[in-house]
Amino acid sequence: MSVRHGLLALLSQGPSYGYQLKVEFERRTGDSWPVNVGQVYNTLDRLERDGLIERGETDGDGHVFYAITDAGAAEARSWLEGPVVRGAAARDELAVKLALAVTLPDVDPEAIIHAQRVATIRSLQELTRSKAAGGDPDSPEEFAWQLVVDALIFQAEAEVRWLEHSEARIRRLRARTGSEGAARGATASAPRTAPAELPATTTASAR
């Protein structure tokens, strides 16, 4: 999540002060990602340093208003219009944990998969209930929040599929080698420059 670019996008709509930006950021993202007001002001300081915003007037309550510069508006447009680039070998803690587990002689990777699957399915159920209990889907705040929840649901579904896929691969390897410990240490041969298989990021189902 880019608070930096989110603030620039908000400032492209007109001057605002720090706490106002915090409230608007949270409201427009459906209160999905609360941000600390200190983080907002630290980000504003960096944006000002980089010439992307500038300080404007101070109102009677002492609020310092910030306005976007031409350079800041260009960066905001570039962020909004461009794709989010994710590295092919982005570090995923679960993938790293499982990759290490299959190389360790005293660790059962299937137990790790089972524990994670239970936790992920529980999270998926909570997200689904939360979405179903939402408010007016036509309100901008509710619609923004549901978009975020949809993304989290799709990610959880993809994680469950990847866990099942990984478990099946481990079992096939054990069946071929005829050893319960065969999956452990099996990847200790030639190193890879990038993972051969990564969890899917989307699902075929839609809500």
Side-chain angles (χ1 to χ4, degrees):
M1 178 187 61
S2 176
V3 174
R4 170 189 174 94
H5 289 108
L7 296 184
L8 279 177
L10 291 174
L11 285 169
S12 69
Q13 303 302 301
S16 297
Y17 57 88
Y19 189 76
Q20 188 177 36
L21 288 166
K22 165 186 160 59
V23 171
E24 281 299 298
F25 183 92
E26 293 174 348
R27 183 180 72 82
R28 291 172 187 245
T29 56
D31 291 319
S32 304
W33 288 299
V35 290
N36 184 282
V37 69
Q39 180 185 8
V40 171
Y41 280 107
N42 286 337
T43 303
L44 290 172
D45 286 342
R46 290 193 293 271
L47 290 171
E48 184 181 19
R49 178 201 64 196
D50 295 341
L52 302 177
I53 65 173
E54 56 189 12
R55 292 179 185 240
E57 299 179 352
T58 302
D59 68 11
D61 295 322
H63 298 133
V64 178
F65 282 75
Y66 292 84
I68 198 166
T69 62
D70 289 343
E75 181 158 334
R77 282 195 304 273
S78 176
W79 177 68
L80 288 167
E81 295 172 1
V84 174
V85 179
R86 294 182 174 90
R91 288 180 185 168
D92 178 282
E93 183 178 355
L94 176 58
V96 170
K97 180 194 292 189
L98 192 56
L100 289 173
V102 299
T103 70
L104 300 174
D106 299 321
V107 177
D108 181 3
E110 287 191 68
I112 293 173
I113 289 172
H114 174 72
Q116 185 64 47
R117 182 164 48 217
V118 169
T120 304
I121 290 175
R122 184 181 300 119
S123 176
L124 178 58
Q125 291 169 341
E126 291 172 354
L127 287 166
T128 303
R129 284 195 296 268
S130 177
K131 181 181 177 182
D136 179 7
D138 293 328
S139 71
E141 293 82 2
E142 180 70 15
F143 187 72
W145 175 78
Q146 290 207 3
L147 285 177
V148 175
V149 172
D150 281 344
L152 297 175
I153 287 173
F154 289 178
Q155 289 166 16
E157 289 176 339
E159 184 166 282
V160 170
R161 289 205 314 275
W162 176 74
L163 288 167
E164 292 171 349
H165 168 76
S166 299
E167 184 176 53
R169 291 198 66 191
I170 289 170
R171 288 178 177 176
R172 286 197 300 270
L173 176 60
R174 287 176 172 174
R176 287 199 304 271
T177 61
S179 169
E180 282 298 309
R184 302 161 200 166
T187 60
S189 55
R192 297 177 183 270
T193 57
E197 298 177 31
L198 292 172
T201 56
T202 60
T203 71
S205 61
R207 288 176 173 75

